[in-house]
Amino acid sequence: MKLISAIIKPFKLDEVREGLSEIGVQGITATEVKGFGRQQGHTEMYRGAEYVVDFLPKVKIEIATTDEMVDQVIEVIMQSTNTGRIGDGKIFVTPLERVIRIRTGEMDEAAL
């Protein structure tokens, strides 16, 4: 099992969710986050004063999935979020040792 975490642009969330649903992903977690990478923020004007916005709004999505589905999930995320511009995001894949569904006590792949 793997945990796939992706940091994406907020306006791409619905497209990612729809794509994941089409390949059979049953659940994702989405969190509003702020951060920066190579983009390094940007400057904005407010009431005539220029200021630097260091942290940009992003969405972090997390998907717990079987090893067999990892490549499909990554492909959907990449296709849905790629604009070709800096700041499209990153995908992280980490091993997932255990999953437990609290309501039923199911474990591991049965709990996904």
Side-chain angles (χ1 to χ4, degrees):
M1 296 176 301
K2 301 285 190 247
L3 178 64
I4 300 173
S5 301
I7 309 297
I8 63 171
K9 292 181 176 183
F11 67 91
K12 291 292 191 173
L13 179 59
D14 285 337
E15 194 174 333
V16 171
R17 184 187 52 78
E18 290 168 8
L20 291 172
S21 291
E22 287 176 12
I23 64 166
V25 172
Q26 295 182 355
I28 70 170
T29 299
T31 310
E32 292 180 8
V33 296
K34 293 184 179 204
F36 70 90
R38 289 186 180 167
Q39 223 172 346
Q40 295 296 318
H42 63 277
T43 58
E44 288 187 4
M45 293 291 288
Y46 179 71
R47 294 189 177 182
E50 187 176 60
Y51 65 99
V52 177
V53 178
D54 291 330
F55 292 94
L56 300 172
K58 300 287 184 177
V59 171
K60 179 180 181 180
I61 58 173
E62 296 175 304
I63 303 113
T65 189
T66 62
D67 291 334
E68 295 78 28
M69 289 286 293
V70 170
D71 291 334
Q72 283 183 280
V73 170
I74 290 170
E75 187 63 30
V76 166
I77 295 169
M78 288 181 64
Q79 287 178 355
S80 301
T81 59
N82 186 357
T83 66
R85 296 186 173 169
I86 196 165
D88 278 348
K90 288 215 170 55
I91 300 171
F92 307 95
V93 180
T94 54
L96 195 55
E97 290 187 27
R98 292 186 78 185
V99 177
I100 302 157
R101 178 172 286 138
I102 295 172
R103 179 178 54 86
T104 62
E106 292 172 295
M107 294 190 158
D108 300 327
E109 290 188 14
L112 295 177

